[in-house]
Amino acid sequence: MPRPPAARGGRRVDLHSHTIFSDGALAPEAVVALAVERGLAALAITYHDSVEGVPRAREAAGSAIELVPGIEVSSMLDGLDLHILGYYLDPADDELLETLARFRTERLDRALQMVERLTALGVPVDRDQVLALAGPGVVGRPHVAEALLRAGHVETMDDAFRLFLGAQGPAFVQRPAFRPEQAIALVHAAGGVSVLAHPGAGLSERVVEHLATARLDGIEVWHPQHGMASVRRYHALAAKLGLIETGGSDFHDQGRGVDLGELPVPASVLGPLKQAAGVPG
Ligand code: AMP
Ligand code: FE
Ligand code: FE
Ligand code: ZN
């Protein structure tokens, strides 16, 4: 199949995507097909607390596109919800799989507690529907939010988070503590490279410095939450702290958020990422 012409300014990569194995809508094969269709030089799959989609994505990618195995690990630091991306980690690593199995159980307990709270608040959702929405993936607040939407208790996902499921919301249940330093160590133990996901507009430099001290390898510079000012800020901070730079669309579904491959993440970020991972090429 002929590839479309390279994007202006050179080819792109997308190093942040979700599928049905976390809270995305598409199967790994469909996301890979989109990435190939768009002529991306590489695609990373980075599902919340899961590496289950890696083999299927690899198989689908074949030699049509470079597939970067990944994960997005959720963690909390002093009330801040921080996500650590892991790239080129071994999806069969024992310690990794044990920890992810624990997360899966903890997430299930927590989702059921949130369902109970919603019932007590007079906005009941069906627990089986929440689990069905999670499909084969790990369950999370987006699935509970979707159930609230389908039950007609809210009009948008955003309202579901704002009124009920956000960190200050009455139905919010905290997950057992897992710190970003632990997420970084987990990624490293599985042979991967750790990258702070979407630091956003407001994150203080001190937090990034702290994580760099905890052996963080990189920072996500390009992300839908980052305007031009944030892209410049994190580009400069990466240079200052000696962090590698990555970026991606945080793709969940077509027509939701930024589309796959839409951000101008240059293929040149791949070299330093692979070097940090000790991957040839
Ligand atoms: P959890 O990991 O279960 O705590 O759910 C967190 C996930 O919910 C994030 O990774 C986002 O994908 C999603 N999320 C958080 N806030 C919102 C929001 N306001 N609207 C839609 N999705 C959200
Ligand atoms: Fe998500
Ligand atoms: Fe995230
Ligand atoms: Zn994400």
Side-chain angles (χ1 to χ4, degrees):
M1 192 172 53
R3 287 220 167 119
R8 208 187 311 186
R11 289 184 77 193
R12 292 178 176 184
V13 295
D14 195 322
L15 300 177
H16 192 152
S17 69
H18 295 273
T19 67
I20 49 167
F21 284 102
S22 62
D23 54 342
L26 306 184
E29 291 81 2
V31 178
V32 168
L34 274 178
V36 172
E37 190 186 305
R38 282 160 201 186
L40 298 182
L43 168 74
I45 56 163
T46 52
Y47 313 152
H48 297 293
D49 295 336
S50 169
V51 286
E52 280 167 273
V54 170
R56 273 175 60 179
R58 256 197 191 129
E59 172 113 346
S63 58
I65 187 168
E66 180 157 357
L67 199 278
V68 179
I71 191 171
E72 181 174 17
V73 182
S74 305
S75 71
M76 291 288 266
L77 179 72
D78 305 331
L80 283 174
D81 194 357
L82 298 181
H83 295 175
I84 302 293
L85 294 158
Y87 293 111
Y88 292 110
L89 72 188
D90 174 9
D93 180 80
D94 283 342
E95 186 192 335
L96 178 71
L97 291 177
E98 256 171 54
T99 305
L100 297 181
R102 192 181 88 224
F103 285 168
R104 184 180 262 275
T105 312
E106 288 172 357
R107 278 181 165 281
L108 179 60
D109 290 348
R110 168 190 182 235
L112 298 180
Q113 285 177 47
M114 289 193 285
V115 167
E116 275 175 30
R117 288 206 187 182
L118 289 171
T119 302
L121 288 162
V123 283
V125 296
D126 181 28
R127 56 166 272 168
D128 292 336
Q129 185 182 36
V130 171
L131 301 183
L133 286 167
V138 295
V139 64
R141 283 183 289 163
H143 307 111
V144 182
E146 177 77 32
L148 275 169
L149 194 67
R150 294 199 185 185
H153 299 310
V154 293
E155 279 173 20
T156 63
M157 290 284 276
D158 223 42
D159 277 354
F161 277 87
R162 200 170 46 81
L163 298 171
F164 298 107
L165 300 169
Q168 312 302 325
F172 176 70
V173 177
Q174 190 121 34
R175 294 178 54 211
F178 194 74
R179 294 177 57 96
E181 299 90 330
Q182 291 175 284
I184 293 168
L186 181 70
V187 168
H188 285 164
V193 173
S194 59
V195 172
L196 176 64
H198 46 69
L203 192 73
S204 97
E205 198 167 317
R206 284 187 35 214
V207 172
V208 184
E209 279 169 6
H210 167 75
L211 295 177
T213 312
R215 297 186 52 225
L216 181 76
D217 302 293
I219 188 162
E220 191 170 48
V221 172
W222 295 268
H223 185 275
Q225 286 173 15
H226 296 171
M228 282 302 288
S230 293
V231 169
R232 281 199 207 96
R233 178 180 173 220
Y234 294 121
H235 174 70
L237 191 57
K240 181 178 160 192
L241 299 177
L243 298 170
I244 59 171
E245 301 175 61
T246 69
S249 62
D250 209 343
F251 178 76
H252 284 73
D253 191 8
Q254 288 192 280
R256 180 170 147 201
V258 166
D259 211 349
L260 193 75
E262 214 172 283
L263 293 187
V265 186
S268 58
V269 303
L270 211 53
L273 179 63
K274 284 174 141 177
Q275 199 175 4
V279 172

